[in-house]
Amino acid sequence: MTAPFDLITQRWIPVVRLGGGEDEVGLAELFAEAHKIRRIAGETPPMTAALYRLVLAFLHRAYGPEYDADWGDLWKAESFDADAVGRYVNTSGASFDLFDAERPFLQCPELPEAKRSTVAKLIPDRAVGNNVTLFDHTVAGDRVELAPSTAARWLVTAHAYDPGGMKTPATKVKSSKRAPCNGFAVVLVEGRTLKETLLLNASLHDPEDPGDRAAWERPVPGAEPDKRRSGGWTDVLTWPSRRVRLFPTVRAGKTVVAEAVLSPGTELVGELPGLEKMAAYRTPLTPAGRPKPGAPMLPVRLRPVRGAWRHSVELLLVDPWNEERTRQRPVALKELATHTDRGRIPDETVYTLRMFGQQLDKNASVVEAYFEEAVPAPVALIRAQNDTDDENPVAKLVGCAIELADEAGAALRTMQREYHKEFHAMPGESIDLPYWPVLPRPFGRFLRDLNAARAAGRSERRVMDEWQRTVGSTARRVADDWAAAVAVSGRSLSALGKHQAALHKRLRSFSARFEGQIVKYLTKDDAE
Amino acid sequence: MTVPLDERRAAFVKSLYGLQAGLDSRNTALRAACRRTLAGLRRGLTGQPGIGAQDIVFRHDPPEGELDAWLLVAGLFATHPNGVGGRRSLGASMFALREKRKDSATRRFEQLLLRDRGGLPHHLRQVIRLLASDGIAVNYAGLLDDLVILLGDGYRGESAHRVRLRWARDFHTGGRAVSAERPSATVTTERPSEETP
């Protein structure tokens, strides 16, 4: 007989305390101690994102907030009302037992027991099925046994991030679409404590809305996959994209999960920009840099090497002319501006925008990479807009800064390509690799300094000049290092010099254009 | 108190440029003295530092590790006493040569880039003679800084590679785009006093 595992009281969510210590907490403790917890920290970035989404859905169902004033009360309070969790659990009719016989948490008890196989199918970095043995050294023959807490975490992660492809069919249907969060970068505004983080990412929620319910409150789904529209935000946050059944067993007196069934679940019908609030969107641009006419808005996704900071304009900055037309920021950032306007958050605050993503292979069936990135989110910049004009000068300044880095990166690639073309050689490792990863930290400093300059009403000239110097010197240093690594003969060294000289010329022309562009957006002060 | 190395190098090149100015002097004795000194420095290229080397090179107390570079620059200058200041490298002078001699200058320059510590002095002498025949000036202060690296212990290292790469860049731009990392070594021409050399 296996023991129940109550997700409200049992420890299963990994967190980092304010002092830096790692811990695991249940949902009740998480809310009771949220003001003493720094953040949720899962084993992988997608797990962290999935757990945040689940906890956020729980917050909405247990705490609301229904009205803006309710949000203000929650923000002002030192901690969450710990009793609210118990009240919600008692009245919701939901079961939070992972192994409940009739309503196991986020599972489908109708899945046939005969189809069960290893629980490793829930874990994308284990060698099983399409996942080949790579760095992890696991093989498909390994017997995997998970503690209930670990199994619960991977269960939540699978619903949000399971790749598409063939799954174990309940009867016939075995093809599945990738789980929803694979399609975009989950954006989270991170405060100083978990309480702040949860509230900063919470939108208003009507607990009486019959459609807007979390998955655990809905009827237990049938074994067969289906598709439907979402009933509301908490429904999206806990979307049952898979039918899962965990099979607990007792090993050495302890309950473990060694087997499970992972089957296609419910497909989400609808356009993402209208459904998903934790993502940024933009219309693809033409080569001339203008939004492609008639093209739909696509979610911002994380890519290897280049970094999330390059999307800072789409993520952070309001553009009254383009907002909701060719661009859409994560809802939490819009709400942040509202809370600041109401005096709840000081202008000089700098939060962190944390982004989580997962990249699948071209068949969308195997996980290729996880991403977790952070970008500073200075409140003054998020709020900054020019009511009298179509253009937001801050957005333009940040846009110019990102464009300069993009152009310098492109110039480096051109130098590498032209050099190899001259010798009819195949390019080696991309020169992007040493260039892009250097820039996030200086860019973070740039945003914070820009925020400080605007908050003080100073000209942003010095900050922009510093960024220009950083990009130029980084590109030149990367070009030098690359040249040092290229095997040289007299002719190739001369050719290297030629292409480097062309690079320097391009960098100078970009800098000149940058200076010309930013002049019209700078705040005028005595120094200007 | 020991004079800083940068200042010693600058004073040395200044002395060389003083000889260049002396060649144009209306004082015939001074002109003859300058010619004698330059002849002595040229002899230094054959491995026998003459009397000019004593006055011009050793007077500025060259460090042991840089002596070869100082003597070579003195000899090259004596071969082609047409120095300029600024920050252009030998690549920029070769750029000017290419404007006149096209592909032969390119080949010569590519060979120059390949020479290591042993072969560089010989090849440099040929290059400087070519530059002299076409009247193209050389920045000897910059050349000294570069040769200290190319003939020093780190002649196979990253610094030497950077020097060659800068020469290569200047060869294609004419030195119009001076890299920001280039150390400044501006030398002004000064007429030697009537007593020297």
Side-chain angles (χ1 to χ4, degrees):
Chain A
M1 176 81 182
T2 56
F5 190 83
D6 180 14
L7 299 167
I8 301 295
T9 54
Q10 299 278 353
R11 294 165 168 254
W12 67 285
I13 300 175
V15 295
V16 176
R17 300 246 173 212
L18 282 184
E22 293 178 8
D23 202 356
E24 286 186 8
V25 292
L27 281 164
E29 190 181 351
L30 183 136
F31 281 97
E33 304 269 302
H35 58 295
K36 297 177 187 168
I37 292 172
R38 177 82 183 89
R39 59 186 294 252
I40 294 174
E43 286 153 68
T44 63
M47 182 189 280
T48 307
L51 290 173
Y52 265 119
R53 287 168 73 84
L54 178 117
V55 170
L56 208 49
F58 194 94
L59 170 100
H60 283 314
R61 298 305 289 157
Y63 295 90
E66 190 172 0
Y67 301 105
D68 186 63
D70 299 338
W71 190 96
D73 291 342
L74 287 171
W75 183 257
K76 271 188 289 185
E78 189 198 348
S79 60
F80 284 118
D81 171 15
D83 298 336
V85 172
R87 282 198 299 273
Y88 168 66
V89 171
N90 292 334
T91 56
S92 65
S95 164
F96 290 90
D97 181 5
L98 195 62
F99 305 130
D100 190 277
E102 291 172 7
R103 291 180 62 87
F105 185 74
L106 295 184
Q107 292 167 69
C108 171
E110 285 182 24
L111 287 175
E113 197 169 342
K115 302 266 184 173
R116 65 188 183 177
S117 63
T118 172
V119 74
K121 288 193 171 183
L122 291 177
I123 309 173
D125 49 67
R126 299 287 306 200
V128 59
N130 284 342
N131 294 343
V132 294
T133 297
L134 202 57
F135 301 112
D136 63 321
H137 293 198
T138 62
V139 292
D142 291 349
R143 181 175 168 81
V144 179
E145 289 179 350
L146 303 181
S149 57
T150 314
R153 293 197 289 270
W154 284 115
L155 170 70
V156 172
T157 311
H159 280 299
Y161 277 102
D162 193 49
M166 298 302 157
K167 306 288 168 190
T168 308
T171 52
K172 281 183 187 169
V173 184
K174 55 183 177 179
S175 86
S176 67
K177 293 263 173 76
R178 59 188 185 177
C181 292
N182 284 300
F184 56 91
V186 171
V187 182
L188 188 82
V189 180
E190 198 174 72
R192 283 165 299 183
T193 63
L194 181 61
K195 174 177 173 278
E196 281 192 8
T197 302
L198 293 175
L199 286 174
L200 288 170
N201 292 281
S203 44
L204 298 184
H205 172 78
D206 176 9
E208 302 303 321
D209 181 349
D212 195 356
R213 285 179 298 160
W216 52 79
E217 292 178 54
R218 292 179 173 274
V220 173
E224 285 303 313
D226 57 2
K227 56 169 77 175
R228 64 175 173 85
R229 293 188 171 276
S230 85
W233 178 223
T234 56
D235 190 21
V236 173
L237 284 173
T238 56
W239 193 257
S241 70
R242 296 289 176 264
R243 301 280 187 266
V244 186
R245 188 176 169 193
L246 303 174
F247 294 93
T249 184
V250 177
R251 186 87 53 202
K254 287 186 177 174
T255 300
V256 294
V257 180
E259 292 175 312
V261 180
L262 179 67
S263 186
T266 305
E267 190 181 323
L268 180 58
V269 177
E271 297 299 321
L272 264 187
L275 297 173
E276 180 54 56
K277 298 181 178 182
M278 296 179 86
Y281 304 87
R282 71 166 181 183
T283 306
L285 301 179
T286 61
R290 301 193 174 283
K292 211 177 265 182
M297 282 197 287
L298 298 177
V300 167
R301 307 176 68 174
L302 295 181
R303 300 280 179 205
V305 182
R306 294 201 187 183
W309 61 272
R310 291 171 68 249
H311 298 295
S312 298
V313 173
E314 291 88 344
L315 287 167
L316 291 174
L317 304 167
V318 63
D319 186 336
W321 183 247
N322 289 318
E323 192 72 14
E324 314 293 347
R325 288 200 236 181
T326 64
R327 249 200 240 165
Q328 188 175 311
R329 293 187 298 163
V331 170
L333 289 171
K334 292 186 201 169
E335 302 279 345
L336 195 58
T338 312
H339 299 318
T340 313
D341 286 340
R342 302 205 168 145
R344 293 169 184 148
I345 297 171
D347 234 359
E348 59 275 10
T349 317
V350 178
Y351 290 118
T352 298
L353 213 59
R354 201 170 280 278
M355 301 174 68
F356 307 89
Q358 178 168 279
Q359 180 175 295
L360 303 178
D361 70 341
K362 61 180 187 316
N363 297 323
S365 61
V366 174
V367 177
E368 283 191 336
Y370 303 137
F371 306 105
E372 180 174 342
E373 295 194 33
V375 177
V379 169
L381 293 193
I382 291 166
R383 291 180 64 219
Q385 57 177 301
N386 188 347
D387 293 332
T388 58
D389 201 337
D390 291 339
E391 291 181 326
N392 174 357
V394 180
K396 293 293 175 188
L397 287 175
V398 177
C400 288
I402 294 170
E403 192 182 345
L404 181 71
D406 271 345
E407 286 173 333
L412 280 169
R413 283 197 299 282
T414 304
M415 176 190 70
Q416 189 185 32
R417 190 178 58 244
E418 293 298 312
Y419 173 78
H420 285 108
K421 204 158 88 183
E422 191 164 332
F423 291 92
H424 306 288
M426 295 290 288
E429 196 172 71
S430 169
I431 202 163
D432 278 347
L433 282 176
Y435 173 70
W436 290 108
V438 178
L439 292 175
R441 191 180 289 264
F443 186 77
R445 199 167 53 237
F446 162 76
L447 279 187
R448 281 189 291 270
D449 290 349
L450 197 64
N451 188 55
R454 278 204 71 84
R458 290 196 311 266
S459 168
E460 301 88 350
R461 162 73 71 184
R462 190 188 57 76
V463 184
M464 300 305 287
D465 286 351
E466 178 65 29
W467 174 250
Q468 184 190 343
R469 273 195 297 276
T470 303
V471 170
S473 62
T474 303
R476 273 191 287 271
R477 193 173 60 247
V478 167
D480 281 353
D481 292 346
W482 170 77
V486 175
V488 286
S489 64
R491 188 176 149 232
S492 63
L493 194 51
S494 173
L496 271 179
K498 180 171 79 180
H499 295 299
Q500 260 206 8
L503 169 82
H504 288 189
K505 189 176 172 188
R506 283 193 197 104
L507 292 177
R508 281 194 303 278
S509 92
F510 296 150
S511 289
R513 201 169 66 211
F514 175 77
E515 282 169 20
Q517 281 174 333
I518 62 170
V519 166
K520 51 187 170 182
Y521 305 121
L522 293 174
T523 302
K524 300 281 183 289
D525 70 359
D526 296 341
E528 271 297 303
Chain B
M1 196 177 77
T2 314
V3 180
L5 185 56
D6 281 357
E7 289 180 23
R8 277 186 275 161
R9 282 190 200 166
F12 162 59
V13 175
K14 202 167 164 182
S15 305
L16 292 177
Y17 285 20
L19 294 173
Q20 179 181 337
L23 290 176
D24 298 330
S25 170
R26 279 179 293 182
N27 181 336
T28 51
L30 177 62
R31 272 208 311 275
C34 288
R35 277 200 295 273
R36 266 200 310 280
T37 307
L38 288 170
L41 292 176
R42 270 197 299 278
R43 275 198 297 282
L45 286 176
T46 62
Q48 301 168 329
I51 189 161
Q54 187 62 41
D55 283 343
I56 300 294
V57 180
F58 294 105
R59 180 156 62 97
H60 298 289
D61 188 20
E64 183 71 26
E66 297 185 7
L67 184 58
D68 287 347
W70 286 49
L71 287 170
L72 179 61
V73 167
L76 295 173
F77 179 83
T79 309
H80 177 35
N82 184 1
V84 288
R87 296 167 69 180
R88 52 186 272 174
S89 73
L90 187 66
S93 300
M94 291 301 288
F95 168 83
L97 188 70
R98 188 179 60 169
E99 297 291 292
K100 297 183 176 179
R101 299 197 175 212
K102 308 294 178 198
D103 287 350
S104 66
T106 303
R107 282 195 297 278
R108 182 76 68 173
F109 181 68
E110 286 173 0
Q111 287 165 4
L112 180 70
L113 290 178
L114 270 182
R115 296 289 169 256
D116 65 3
R117 186 161 62 171
L120 187 62
H122 172 73
H123 206 86
L124 264 177
R125 282 205 297 277
Q126 294 178 340
V127 163
I128 294 292
R129 279 197 202 104
L130 274 177
L131 293 171
S133 63
D134 282 326
I136 297 166
V138 175
N139 175 10
Y140 286 99
L143 185 61
L144 175 64
D145 291 338
D146 293 344
L147 287 180
V148 163
I149 295 168
L150 294 176
L151 300 179
D153 292 337
Y155 70 101
R156 281 183 174 153
E158 196 179 320
S159 305
H161 185 82
R162 285 183 195 278
V163 168
R164 290 193 174 92
L165 201 57
R166 182 156 41 75
W167 285 9
R169 278 204 301 269
D170 287 354
F171 180 67
H172 292 283
T173 62
R176 285 188 297 272
V178 177
S179 162
E181 308 91 316
R182 178 76 172 78
S184 170
T186 309
V187 175
T188 53
T189 307
E190 185 182 88
R191 197 170 278 272
S193 65
E194 296 297 312
E195 291 77 29
T196 57

